[in-house]
mmCIF file of all heavy atoms in Angstrom:
data_model
loop_
_atom_site.group_PDB
_atom_site.id
_atom_site.type_symbol
_atom_site.label_atom_id
_atom_site.label_comp_id
_atom_site.label_asym_id
_atom_site.label_seq_id
_atom_site.Cartn_x
_atom_site.Cartn_y
_atom_site.Cartn_z
ATOM 1 N N MET A 1 -215.675 297.265 73.239
ATOM 2 C CA MET A 1 -216.538 296.123 73.435
ATOM 3 C C MET A 1 -217.475 296.444 74.594
ATOM 4 O O MET A 1 -217.029 296.817 75.660
ATOM 5 C CB MET A 1 -215.764 294.876 73.812
ATOM 6 C CG MET A 1 -214.601 294.460 72.952
ATOM 7 S SD MET A 1 -215.008 294.066 71.291
ATOM 8 C CE MET A 1 -213.642 294.853 70.525
ATOM 9 N N SER A 2 -218.713 296.248 74.383
ATOM 10 C CA SER A 2 -219.647 296.547 75.457
ATOM 11 C C SER A 2 -220.234 295.296 76.099
ATOM 12 O O SER A 2 -220.548 295.305 77.269
ATOM 13 C CB SER A 2 -220.774 297.431 74.937
ATOM 14 O OG SER A 2 -221.426 296.786 73.873
ATOM 15 N N ALA A 3 -220.372 294.244 75.357
ATOM 16 C CA ALA A 3 -220.976 293.029 75.902
ATOM 17 C C ALA A 3 -220.021 291.853 75.723
ATOM 18 O O ALA A 3 -219.627 291.534 74.614
ATOM 19 C CB ALA A 3 -222.294 292.739 75.201
ATOM 20 N N TRP A 4 -219.653 291.239 76.820
ATOM 21 C CA TRP A 4 -218.766 290.073 76.786
ATOM 22 C C TRP A 4 -219.552 288.840 77.179
ATOM 23 O O TRP A 4 -220.401 288.886 78.071
ATOM 24 C CB TRP A 4 -217.598 290.273 77.751
ATOM 25 C CG TRP A 4 -216.676 291.354 77.315
ATOM 26 C CD1 TRP A 4 -216.715 292.659 77.705
ATOM 27 C CD2 TRP A 4 -215.604 291.243 76.390
ATOM 28 N NE1 TRP A 4 -215.717 293.365 77.077
ATOM 29 C CE2 TRP A 4 -215.011 292.523 76.262
ATOM 30 C CE3 TRP A 4 -215.068 290.198 75.649
ATOM 31 C CZ2 TRP A 4 -213.923 292.774 75.438
ATOM 32 C CZ3 TRP A 4 -213.978 290.444 74.827
ATOM 33 C CH2 TRP A 4 -213.423 291.714 74.724
ATOM 34 N N ARG A 5 -219.269 287.710 76.521
ATOM 35 C CA ARG A 5 -219.973 286.458 76.819
ATOM 36 C C ARG A 5 -218.969 285.392 77.216
ATOM 37 O O ARG A 5 -217.954 285.213 76.558
ATOM 38 C CB ARG A 5 -220.733 285.986 75.593
ATOM 39 C CG ARG A 5 -221.827 286.972 75.207
ATOM 40 C CD ARG A 5 -222.744 286.393 74.226
ATOM 41 N NE ARG A 5 -223.305 285.169 74.800
ATOM 42 C CZ ARG A 5 -224.147 284.396 74.169
ATOM 43 N NH1 ARG A 5 -224.514 284.676 72.970
ATOM 44 N NH2 ARG A 5 -224.611 283.308 74.737
ATOM 45 N N LYS A 6 -219.277 284.680 78.270
ATOM 46 C CA LYS A 6 -218.473 283.540 78.707
ATOM 47 C C LYS A 6 -219.159 282.257 78.257
ATOM 48 O O LYS A 6 -220.378 282.199 78.174
ATOM 49 C CB LYS A 6 -218.365 283.506 80.235
ATOM 50 C CG LYS A 6 -217.549 284.613 80.813
ATOM 51 C CD LYS A 6 -217.466 284.452 82.318
ATOM 52 C CE LYS A 6 -216.764 285.644 82.915
ATOM 53 N NZ LYS A 6 -216.649 285.543 84.364
ATOM 54 N N SER A 7 -218.368 281.258 78.034
ATOM 55 C CA SER A 7 -218.915 279.960 77.673
ATOM 56 C C SER A 7 -219.731 279.385 78.818
ATOM 57 O O SER A 7 -219.349 279.494 79.983
ATOM 58 C CB SER A 7 -217.780 278.996 77.331
ATOM 59 O OG SER A 7 -218.272 277.688 77.202
ATOM 60 N N SER A 8 -220.834 278.761 78.491
ATOM 61 C CA SER A 8 -221.638 278.104 79.517
ATOM 62 C C SER A 8 -220.935 276.847 80.033
ATOM 63 O O SER A 8 -221.310 276.286 81.045
ATOM 64 C CB SER A 8 -223.008 277.728 78.963
ATOM 65 O OG SER A 8 -222.863 276.859 77.859
ATOM 66 N N TYR A 9 -219.862 276.417 79.352
ATOM 67 C CA TYR A 9 -219.083 275.253 79.775
ATOM 68 C C TYR A 9 -218.025 275.619 80.808
ATOM 69 O O TYR A 9 -217.354 274.763 81.331
ATOM 70 C CB TYR A 9 -218.407 274.592 78.575
ATOM 71 C CG TYR A 9 -219.388 273.954 77.640
ATOM 72 C CD1 TYR A 9 -219.784 274.592 76.479
ATOM 73 C CD2 TYR A 9 -219.943 272.710 77.928
ATOM 74 C CE1 TYR A 9 -220.702 274.009 75.626
ATOM 75 C CE2 TYR A 9 -220.853 272.120 77.079
ATOM 76 C CZ TYR A 9 -221.223 272.775 75.931
ATOM 77 O OH TYR A 9 -222.123 272.198 75.086
ATOM 78 N N SER A 10 -217.857 276.884 81.099
ATOM 79 C CA SER A 10 -216.879 277.330 82.076
ATOM 80 C C SER A 10 -217.418 277.049 83.478
ATOM 81 O O SER A 10 -218.348 277.697 83.942
ATOM 82 C CB SER A 10 -216.612 278.828 81.908
ATOM 83 O OG SER A 10 -215.722 279.269 82.899
ATOM 84 N N ALA A 11 -216.813 276.087 84.143
ATOM 85 C CA ALA A 11 -217.309 275.658 85.450
ATOM 86 C C ALA A 11 -217.216 276.756 86.511
ATOM 87 O O ALA A 11 -218.179 277.053 87.197
ATOM 88 C CB ALA A 11 -216.559 274.418 85.915
ATOM 89 N N SER A 12 -216.048 277.363 86.635
ATOM 90 C CA SER A 12 -215.871 278.347 87.704
ATOM 91 C C SER A 12 -216.240 279.754 87.264
ATOM 92 O O SER A 12 -216.432 280.628 88.095
ATOM 93 C CB SER A 12 -214.423 278.340 88.178
ATOM 94 O OG SER A 12 -213.577 278.856 87.168
ATOM 95 N N GLY A 13 -216.288 279.983 85.979
ATOM 96 C CA GLY A 13 -216.612 281.311 85.480
ATOM 97 C C GLY A 13 -215.428 282.258 85.452
ATOM 98 O O GLY A 13 -215.539 283.377 84.990
ATOM 99 N N SER A 14 -214.268 281.813 85.965
ATOM 100 C CA SER A 14 -213.104 282.702 85.974
ATOM 101 C C SER A 14 -211.942 282.165 85.162
ATOM 102 O O SER A 14 -210.937 282.833 85.020
ATOM 103 C CB SER A 14 -212.644 282.952 87.412
ATOM 104 O OG SER A 14 -212.209 281.735 87.990
ATOM 105 N N GLU A 15 -212.075 280.968 84.628
ATOM 106 C CA GLU A 15 -210.996 280.379 83.838
ATOM 107 C C GLU A 15 -211.484 280.092 82.429
ATOM 108 O O GLU A 15 -211.625 278.945 82.027
ATOM 109 C CB GLU A 15 -210.483 279.112 84.511
ATOM 110 C CG GLU A 15 -209.848 279.385 85.856
ATOM 111 C CD GLU A 15 -209.294 278.141 86.497
ATOM 112 O OE1 GLU A 15 -209.208 277.105 85.833
ATOM 113 O OE2 GLU A 15 -208.939 278.214 87.677
ATOM 114 N N CYS A 16 -211.761 281.143 81.705
ATOM 115 C CA CYS A 16 -212.274 280.951 80.360
ATOM 116 C C CYS A 16 -211.895 282.129 79.472
ATOM 117 O O CYS A 16 -211.375 283.134 79.929
ATOM 118 C CB CYS A 16 -213.786 280.775 80.378
ATOM 119 S SG CYS A 16 -214.665 282.185 81.037
ATOM 120 N N VAL A 17 -212.163 281.957 78.227
ATOM 121 C CA VAL A 17 -211.984 283.019 77.253
ATOM 122 C C VAL A 17 -213.357 283.604 76.991
ATOM 123 O O VAL A 17 -214.340 282.872 76.857
ATOM 124 C CB VAL A 17 -211.365 282.474 75.950
ATOM 125 C CG1 VAL A 17 -211.324 283.530 74.881
ATOM 126 C CG2 VAL A 17 -209.976 281.924 76.218
ATOM 127 N N GLU A 18 -213.435 284.921 76.923
ATOM 128 C CA GLU A 18 -214.707 285.585 76.656
ATOM 129 C C GLU A 18 -214.670 286.188 75.259
ATOM 130 O O GLU A 18 -213.620 286.600 74.773
ATOM 131 C CB GLU A 18 -214.943 286.698 77.670
ATOM 132 C CG GLU A 18 -215.011 286.205 79.096
ATOM 133 C CD GLU A 18 -215.110 287.344 80.095
ATOM 134 O OE1 GLU A 18 -214.742 288.484 79.762
ATOM 135 O OE2 GLU A 18 -215.566 287.087 81.210
ATOM 136 N N VAL A 19 -215.828 286.250 74.638
ATOM 137 C CA VAL A 19 -215.966 286.843 73.314
ATOM 138 C C VAL A 19 -216.782 288.118 73.456
ATOM 139 O O VAL A 19 -217.811 288.125 74.129
ATOM 140 C CB VAL A 19 -216.678 285.869 72.345
ATOM 141 C CG1 VAL A 19 -216.861 286.518 70.994
ATOM 142 C CG2 VAL A 19 -215.902 284.577 72.237
ATOM 143 N N GLY A 20 -216.305 289.177 72.824
ATOM 144 C CA GLY A 20 -217.010 290.456 72.916
ATOM 145 C C GLY A 20 -217.672 290.831 71.609
ATOM 146 O O GLY A 20 -217.148 290.565 70.531
ATOM 147 N N HIS A 21 -218.839 291.435 71.728
ATOM 148 C CA HIS A 21 -219.538 291.942 70.549
ATOM 149 C C HIS A 21 -218.710 293.098 70.019
ATOM 150 O O HIS A 21 -218.464 294.061 70.706
ATOM 151 C CB HIS A 21 -220.948 292.403 70.932
ATOM 152 C CG HIS A 21 -221.729 292.924 69.784
ATOM 153 N ND1 HIS A 21 -222.284 292.079 68.855
ATOM 154 C CD2 HIS A 21 -222.010 294.169 69.396
ATOM 155 C CE1 HIS A 21 -222.903 292.809 67.947
ATOM 156 N NE2 HIS A 21 -222.756 294.090 68.266
ATOM 157 N N GLY A 22 -218.234 292.922 68.852
ATOM 158 C CA GLY A 22 -217.477 294.058 68.318
ATOM 159 C C GLY A 22 -216.338 293.756 67.388
ATOM 160 O O GLY A 22 -216.159 294.467 66.452
ATOM 161 N N ILE A 23 -215.634 292.875 67.408
ATOM 162 C CA ILE A 23 -215.380 291.526 67.907
ATOM 163 C C ILE A 23 -214.028 291.528 68.620
ATOM 164 O O ILE A 23 -213.069 292.066 68.111
ATOM 165 C CB ILE A 23 -215.347 290.500 66.773
ATOM 166 C CG1 ILE A 23 -216.690 290.428 66.076
ATOM 167 C CG2 ILE A 23 -214.911 289.148 67.239
ATOM 168 C CD1 ILE A 23 -216.679 289.577 64.817
ATOM 169 N N GLY A 24 -213.966 290.894 69.749
ATOM 170 C CA GLY A 24 -212.724 290.785 70.486
ATOM 171 C C GLY A 24 -212.774 289.571 71.385
ATOM 172 O O GLY A 24 -213.835 289.006 71.626
ATOM 173 N N ILE A 25 -211.601 289.176 71.867
ATOM 174 C CA ILE A 25 -211.533 288.081 72.822
ATOM 175 C C ILE A 25 -210.669 288.531 73.991
ATOM 176 O O ILE A 25 -209.793 289.377 73.843
ATOM 177 C CB ILE A 25 -210.983 286.783 72.198
ATOM 178 C CG1 ILE A 25 -209.619 287.010 71.547
ATOM 179 C CG2 ILE A 25 -211.956 286.201 71.212
ATOM 180 C CD1 ILE A 25 -208.977 285.755 71.006
ATOM 181 N N ARG A 26 -210.938 287.981 75.164
ATOM 182 C CA ARG A 26 -210.143 288.307 76.339
ATOM 183 C C ARG A 26 -210.148 287.127 77.301
ATOM 184 O O ARG A 26 -211.016 286.271 77.265
ATOM 185 C CB ARG A 26 -210.659 289.555 77.037
ATOM 186 C CG ARG A 26 -211.979 289.381 77.730
ATOM 187 C CD ARG A 26 -212.429 290.652 78.401
ATOM 188 N NE ARG A 26 -213.687 290.445 79.132
ATOM 189 C CZ ARG A 26 -214.336 291.390 79.764
ATOM 190 N NH1 ARG A 26 -213.880 292.626 79.737
ATOM 191 N NH2 ARG A 26 -215.445 291.129 80.408
ATOM 192 N N ASP A 27 -209.164 287.119 78.173
ATOM 193 C CA ASP A 27 -209.064 286.133 79.237
ATOM 194 C C ASP A 27 -209.854 286.676 80.418
ATOM 195 O O ASP A 27 -209.640 287.811 80.839
ATOM 196 C CB ASP A 27 -207.596 285.949 79.609
ATOM 197 C CG ASP A 27 -207.356 284.868 80.646
ATOM 198 O OD1 ASP A 27 -208.279 284.568 81.421
ATOM 199 O OD2 ASP A 27 -206.236 284.350 80.688
ATOM 200 N N SER A 28 -210.740 285.884 80.972
ATOM 201 C CA SER A 28 -211.568 286.373 82.076
ATOM 202 C C SER A 28 -210.749 286.710 83.317
ATOM 203 O O SER A 28 -211.206 287.441 84.185
ATOM 204 C CB SER A 28 -212.660 285.359 82.428
ATOM 205 O OG SER A 28 -212.091 284.122 82.774
ATOM 206 N N LYS A 29 -209.513 286.184 83.397
ATOM 207 C CA LYS A 29 -208.649 286.515 84.530
ATOM 208 C C LYS A 29 -207.965 287.866 84.339
ATOM 209 O O LYS A 29 -207.400 288.409 85.270
ATOM 210 C CB LYS A 29 -207.604 285.424 84.744
ATOM 211 C CG LYS A 29 -208.210 284.106 85.224
ATOM 212 C CD LYS A 29 -207.146 283.047 85.395
ATOM 213 C CE LYS A 29 -206.814 282.542 84.003
ATOM 214 N NZ LYS A 29 -205.960 281.387 83.960
ATOM 215 N N ALA A 30 -207.999 288.403 83.121
ATOM 216 C CA ALA A 30 -207.375 289.704 82.824
ATOM 217 C C ALA A 30 -208.323 290.525 81.956
ATOM 218 O O ALA A 30 -208.029 290.837 80.811
ATOM 219 C CB ALA A 30 -206.039 289.500 82.113
ATOM 220 N N PRO A 31 -209.492 290.887 82.489
ATOM 221 C CA PRO A 31 -210.525 291.531 81.682
ATOM 222 C C PRO A 31 -210.202 292.952 81.210
ATOM 223 O O PRO A 31 -210.878 293.462 80.331
ATOM 224 C CB PRO A 31 -211.746 291.524 82.588
ATOM 225 C CG PRO A 31 -211.187 291.475 83.963
ATOM 226 C CD PRO A 31 -209.917 290.676 83.859
ATOM 227 N N ALA A 32 -209.177 293.567 81.760
ATOM 228 C CA ALA A 32 -208.851 294.942 81.349
ATOM 229 C C ALA A 32 -208.248 294.993 79.951
ATOM 230 O O ALA A 32 -208.256 296.040 79.315
ATOM 231 C CB ALA A 32 -207.902 295.576 82.355
ATOM 232 N N THR A 33 -207.733 293.877 79.468
ATOM 233 C CA THR A 33 -207.124 293.843 78.142
ATOM 234 C C THR A 33 -207.910 292.897 77.240
ATOM 235 O O THR A 33 -208.521 291.944 77.706
ATOM 236 C CB THR A 33 -205.659 293.369 78.204
ATOM 237 O OG1 THR A 33 -205.619 292.059 78.771
ATOM 238 C CG2 THR A 33 -204.820 294.306 79.052
ATOM 239 N N HIS A 34 -207.887 293.184 75.967
ATOM 240 C CA HIS A 34 -208.530 292.289 75.011
ATOM 241 C C HIS A 34 -207.786 292.337 73.690
ATOM 242 O O HIS A 34 -206.988 293.233 73.436
ATOM 243 C CB HIS A 34 -210.008 292.643 74.818
ATOM 244 C CG HIS A 34 -210.223 293.902 74.041
ATOM 245 N ND1 HIS A 34 -210.165 295.145 74.626
ATOM 246 C CD2 HIS A 34 -210.478 294.100 72.739
ATOM 247 C CE1 HIS A 34 -210.372 296.062 73.695
ATOM 248 N NE2 HIS A 34 -210.579 295.450 72.545
ATOM 249 N N LEU A 35 -208.049 291.354 72.860
ATOM 250 C CA LEU A 35 -207.443 291.242 71.544
ATOM 251 C C LEU A 35 -208.524 291.487 70.502
ATOM 252 O O LEU A 35 -209.462 290.700 70.384
ATOM 253 C CB LEU A 35 -206.854 289.839 71.363
ATOM 254 C CG LEU A 35 -206.256 289.503 70.007
ATOM 255 C CD1 LEU A 35 -205.022 290.358 69.744
ATOM 256 C CD2 LEU A 35 -205.903 288.032 69.948
ATOM 257 N N PRO A 36 -208.428 292.603 69.768
ATOM 258 C CA PRO A 36 -209.419 292.832 68.711
ATOM 259 C C PRO A 36 -209.237 291.809 67.578
ATOM 260 O O PRO A 36 -208.112 291.464 67.230
ATOM 261 C CB PRO A 36 -209.117 294.239 68.207
ATOM 262 C CG PRO A 36 -208.025 294.782 69.047
ATOM 263 C CD PRO A 36 -207.479 293.679 69.886
ATOM 264 N N VAL A 37 -210.334 291.324 67.051
ATOM 265 C CA VAL A 37 -210.310 290.331 65.977
ATOM 266 C C VAL A 37 -211.309 290.776 64.917
ATOM 267 O O VAL A 37 -212.447 291.126 65.243
ATOM 268 C CB VAL A 37 -210.693 288.935 66.517
ATOM 269 C CG1 VAL A 37 -210.685 287.902 65.415
ATOM 270 C CG2 VAL A 37 -209.772 288.510 67.646
ATOM 271 N N SER A 38 -210.908 290.735 63.657
ATOM 272 C CA SER A 38 -211.831 291.133 62.587
ATOM 273 C C SER A 38 -212.942 290.096 62.451
ATOM 274 O O SER A 38 -212.778 288.927 62.819
ATOM 275 C CB SER A 38 -211.089 291.268 61.258
ATOM 276 O OG SER A 38 -210.723 289.988 60.755
ATOM 277 N N GLY A 39 -214.062 290.519 61.923
ATOM 278 C CA GLY A 39 -215.170 289.600 61.677
ATOM 279 C C GLY A 39 -214.767 288.468 60.748
ATOM 280 O O GLY A 39 -215.179 287.326 60.929
ATOM 281 N N GLU A 40 -213.935 288.783 59.761
ATOM 282 C CA GLU A 40 -213.470 287.767 58.822
ATOM 283 C C GLU A 40 -212.600 286.725 59.525
ATOM 284 O O GLU A 40 -212.758 285.522 59.312
ATOM 285 C CB GLU A 40 -212.671 288.440 57.706
ATOM 286 C CG GLU A 40 -212.231 287.496 56.615
ATOM 287 C CD GLU A 40 -211.524 288.240 55.502
ATOM 288 O OE1 GLU A 40 -212.223 288.793 54.631
ATOM 289 O OE2 GLU A 40 -210.281 288.269 55.524
ATOM 290 N N ALA A 41 -211.690 287.176 60.380
ATOM 291 C CA ALA A 41 -210.823 286.249 61.115
ATOM 292 C C ALA A 41 -211.642 285.396 62.084
ATOM 293 O O ALA A 41 -211.395 284.199 62.236
ATOM 294 C CB ALA A 41 -209.736 287.015 61.866
ATOM 295 N N TRP A 42 -212.615 286.006 62.750
ATOM 296 C CA TRP A 42 -213.459 285.260 63.684
ATOM 297 C C TRP A 42 -214.256 284.194 62.941
ATOM 298 O O TRP A 42 -214.370 283.059 63.396
ATOM 299 C CB TRP A 42 -214.373 286.214 64.445
ATOM 300 C CG TRP A 42 -215.178 285.532 65.492
ATOM 301 C CD1 TRP A 42 -216.518 285.357 65.494
ATOM 302 C CD2 TRP A 42 -214.704 284.920 66.694
ATOM 303 N NE1 TRP A 42 -216.914 284.680 66.625
ATOM 304 C CE2 TRP A 42 -215.813 284.403 67.378
ATOM 305 C CE3 TRP A 42 -213.437 284.766 67.254
ATOM 306 C CZ2 TRP A 42 -215.704 283.729 68.579
ATOM 307 C CZ3 TRP A 42 -213.335 284.092 68.471
ATOM 308 C CH2 TRP A 42 -214.446 283.595 69.119
ATOM 309 N N GLY A 43 -214.793 284.542 61.779
ATOM 310 C CA GLY A 43 -215.535 283.578 60.972
ATOM 311 C C GLY A 43 -214.658 282.418 60.533
ATOM 312 O O GLY A 43 -215.083 281.260 60.564
ATOM 313 N N ALA A 44 -213.417 282.711 60.142
ATOM 314 C CA ALA A 44 -212.482 281.661 59.736
ATOM 315 C C ALA A 44 -212.157 280.752 60.914
ATOM 316 O O ALA A 44 -212.070 279.522 60.768
ATOM 317 C CB ALA A 44 -211.205 282.277 59.170
ATOM 318 N N PHE A 45 -211.988 281.339 62.096
ATOM 319 C CA PHE A 45 -211.724 280.550 63.299
ATOM 320 C C PHE A 45 -212.888 279.607 63.590
ATOM 321 O O PHE A 45 -212.701 278.411 63.836
ATOM 322 C CB PHE A 45 -211.468 281.486 64.486
ATOM 323 C CG PHE A 45 -211.420 280.786 65.807
ATOM 324 C CD1 PHE A 45 -210.308 280.048 66.174
ATOM 325 C CD2 PHE A 45 -212.488 280.863 66.686
ATOM 326 C CE1 PHE A 45 -210.261 279.389 67.400
ATOM 327 C CE2 PHE A 45 -212.455 280.216 67.913
ATOM 328 C CZ PHE A 45 -211.339 279.478 68.269
ATOM 329 N N LEU A 46 -214.109 280.128 63.557
ATOM 330 C CA LEU A 46 -215.278 279.299 63.837
ATOM 331 C C LEU A 46 -215.450 278.194 62.802
ATOM 332 O O LEU A 46 -215.800 277.061 63.147
ATOM 333 C CB LEU A 46 -216.538 280.164 63.904
ATOM 334 C CG LEU A 46 -216.605 281.129 65.075
ATOM 335 C CD1 LEU A 46 -217.886 281.963 64.989
ATOM 336 C CD2 LEU A 46 -216.516 280.419 66.404
ATOM 337 N N THR A 47 -215.174 278.497 61.538
ATOM 338 C CA THR A 47 -215.254 277.487 60.482
ATOM 339 C C THR A 47 -214.252 276.368 60.743
ATOM 340 O O THR A 47 -214.582 275.181 60.615
ATOM 341 C CB THR A 47 -215.002 278.129 59.109
ATOM 342 O OG1 THR A 47 -216.030 279.092 58.869
ATOM 343 C CG2 THR A 47 -214.994 277.098 57.997
ATOM 344 N N ALA A 48 -213.027 276.739 61.142
ATOM 345 C CA ALA A 48 -211.991 275.741 61.424
ATOM 346 C C ALA A 48 -212.363 274.880 62.627
ATOM 347 O O ALA A 48 -212.179 273.656 62.613
ATOM 348 C CB ALA A 48 -210.645 276.428 61.663
ATOM 349 N N VAL A 49 -212.902 275.490 63.666
ATOM 350 C CA VAL A 49 -213.313 274.732 64.850
ATOM 351 C C VAL A 49 -214.436 273.763 64.497
ATOM 352 O O VAL A 49 -214.406 272.588 64.882
ATOM 353 C CB VAL A 49 -213.735 275.673 66.002
ATOM 354 C CG1 VAL A 49 -214.415 274.906 67.116
ATOM 355 C CG2 VAL A 49 -212.527 276.431 66.540
ATOM 356 N N CYS A 50 -215.412 274.228 63.752
ATOM 357 C CA CYS A 50 -216.526 273.357 63.349
ATOM 358 C C CYS A 50 -216.037 272.190 62.506
ATOM 359 O O CYS A 50 -216.485 271.054 62.681
ATOM 360 C CB CYS A 50 -217.584 274.152 62.599
ATOM 361 S SG CYS A 50 -218.524 275.254 63.671
ATOM 362 N N ALA A 51 -215.101 272.444 61.590
ATOM 363 C CA ALA A 51 -214.549 271.377 60.747
ATOM 364 C C ALA A 51 -213.794 270.362 61.600
ATOM 365 O O ALA A 51 -213.911 269.148 61.390
ATOM 366 C CB ALA A 51 -213.629 271.968 59.683
ATOM 367 N N MET A 52 -213.041 270.850 62.572
ATOM 368 C CA MET A 52 -212.291 269.963 63.453
ATOM 369 C C MET A 52 -213.245 269.093 64.275
ATOM 370 O O MET A 52 -213.043 267.883 64.405
ATOM 371 C CB MET A 52 -211.397 270.772 64.400
ATOM 372 C CG MET A 52 -210.605 269.929 65.371
ATOM 373 S SD MET A 52 -209.785 270.890 66.644
ATOM 374 C CE MET A 52 -211.190 271.434 67.619
ATOM 375 N N LEU A 53 -214.300 269.699 64.813
ATOM 376 C CA LEU A 53 -215.263 268.939 65.599
ATOM 377 C C LEU A 53 -216.005 267.916 64.746
ATOM 378 O O LEU A 53 -216.262 266.793 65.190
ATOM 379 C CB LEU A 53 -216.248 269.879 66.283
ATOM 380 C CG LEU A 53 -215.654 270.758 67.386
ATOM 381 C CD1 LEU A 53 -216.701 271.757 67.870
ATOM 382 C CD2 LEU A 53 -215.121 269.930 68.523
ATOM 383 N N ALA A 54 -216.345 268.277 63.521
ATOM 384 C CA ALA A 54 -217.030 267.348 62.620
ATOM 385 C C ALA A 54 -216.120 266.167 62.295
ATOM 386 O O ALA A 54 -216.567 265.010 62.286
ATOM 387 C CB ALA A 54 -217.451 268.071 61.341
ATOM 388 N N GLU A 55 -214.844 266.426 62.056
ATOM 389 C CA GLU A 55 -213.885 265.365 61.767
ATOM 390 C C GLU A 55 -213.716 264.455 62.977
ATOM 391 O O GLU A 55 -213.691 263.237 62.848
ATOM 392 C CB GLU A 55 -212.540 265.950 61.361
ATOM 393 C CG GLU A 55 -211.487 264.920 61.037
ATOM 394 C CD GLU A 55 -211.850 264.009 59.874
ATOM 395 O OE1 GLU A 55 -212.584 264.440 58.985
ATOM 396 O OE2 GLU A 55 -211.381 262.849 59.869
ATOM 397 N N GLU A 56 -213.639 265.049 64.151
ATOM 398 C CA GLU A 56 -213.513 264.269 65.384
ATOM 399 C C GLU A 56 -214.737 263.368 65.567
ATOM 400 O O GLU A 56 -214.623 262.214 65.954
ATOM 401 C CB GLU A 56 -213.399 265.248 66.569
ATOM 402 C CG GLU A 56 -212.559 264.733 67.700
ATOM 403 C CD GLU A 56 -212.366 265.813 68.735
ATOM 404 O OE1 GLU A 56 -211.408 266.596 68.619
ATOM 405 O OE2 GLU A 56 -213.186 265.872 69.678
ATOM 406 N N HIS A 57 -215.905 263.917 65.279
ATOM 407 C CA HIS A 57 -217.148 263.152 65.412
ATOM 408 C C HIS A 57 -217.179 261.974 64.432
ATOM 409 O O HIS A 57 -217.638 260.889 64.775
ATOM 410 C CB HIS A 57 -218.351 264.065 65.181
ATOM 411 C CG HIS A 57 -219.664 263.392 65.315
ATOM 412 N ND1 HIS A 57 -220.149 262.924 66.522
ATOM 413 C CD2 HIS A 57 -220.596 263.069 64.399
ATOM 414 C CE1 HIS A 57 -221.322 262.360 66.320
ATOM 415 N NE2 HIS A 57 -221.616 262.439 65.042
ATOM 416 N N ARG A 58 -216.670 262.192 63.210
ATOM 417 C CA ARG A 58 -216.664 261.120 62.197
ATOM 418 C C ARG A 58 -215.718 259.994 62.572
ATOM 419 O O ARG A 58 -215.945 258.836 62.213
ATOM 420 C CB ARG A 58 -216.249 261.682 60.840
ATOM 421 C CG ARG A 58 -217.370 262.342 60.084
ATOM 422 C CD ARG A 58 -216.974 262.588 58.634
ATOM 423 N NE ARG A 58 -215.915 263.575 58.512
ATOM 424 C CZ ARG A 58 -216.085 264.884 58.412
ATOM 425 N NH1 ARG A 58 -217.312 265.364 58.426
ATOM 426 N NH2 ARG A 58 -215.076 265.701 58.278
ATOM 427 N N THR A 59 -214.628 260.312 63.295
ATOM 428 C CA THR A 59 -213.628 259.282 63.596
ATOM 429 C C THR A 59 -213.884 258.562 64.907
ATOM 430 O O THR A 59 -213.166 257.644 65.259
ATOM 431 C CB THR A 59 -212.211 259.903 63.639
ATOM 432 O OG1 THR A 59 -212.153 260.911 64.635
ATOM 433 C CG2 THR A 59 -211.836 260.470 62.279
ATOM 434 N N HIS A 60 -214.917 258.969 65.644
ATOM 435 C CA HIS A 60 -215.195 258.300 66.929
ATOM 436 C C HIS A 60 -216.506 257.605 66.887
ATOM 437 O O HIS A 60 -217.479 257.709 66.586
ATOM 438 C CB HIS A 60 -215.157 259.297 68.097
ATOM 439 C CG HIS A 60 -213.762 259.709 68.405
ATOM 440 N ND1 HIS A 60 -213.204 260.857 67.886
ATOM 441 C CD2 HIS A 60 -212.815 259.144 69.170
ATOM 442 C CE1 HIS A 60 -211.966 260.972 68.321
ATOM 443 N NE2 HIS A 60 -211.704 259.950 69.110
#
């Protein structure tokens, strides 16, 4: 992974999960290690999160 991105919602910048181009995820407190994730798995995760947020929006 060469480029890691932190969420802009991370207030302190050190307590967040980062996403790497390639695809991987890591804890910003332990940047030496990361979890490789396939593009298919990442897409499924994002689809599930979007569905959850849409459902939450409909019920509030």
Side-chain angles (χ1 to χ4, degrees):
M1 308 298 138
S2 58
W4 292 94
R5 296 193 57 181
K6 291 182 186 180
S7 170
S8 59
Y9 292 100
S10 177
S12 69
S14 64
E15 296 182 11
C16 61
V17 173
E18 299 174 339
V19 178
H21 180 76
I23 297 172
I25 55 176
R26 70 180 183 183
D27 184 335
S28 58
K29 292 179 282 189
T33 60
H34 72 277
L35 176 66
V37 179
S38 72
E40 185 176 277
W42 185 248
F45 170 76
L46 293 178
T47 298
V49 169
C50 288
M52 179 190 70
L53 292 173
E55 180 61 29
E56 212 173 272
H57 181 68
R58 278 193 293 272
T59 60
H60 287 95

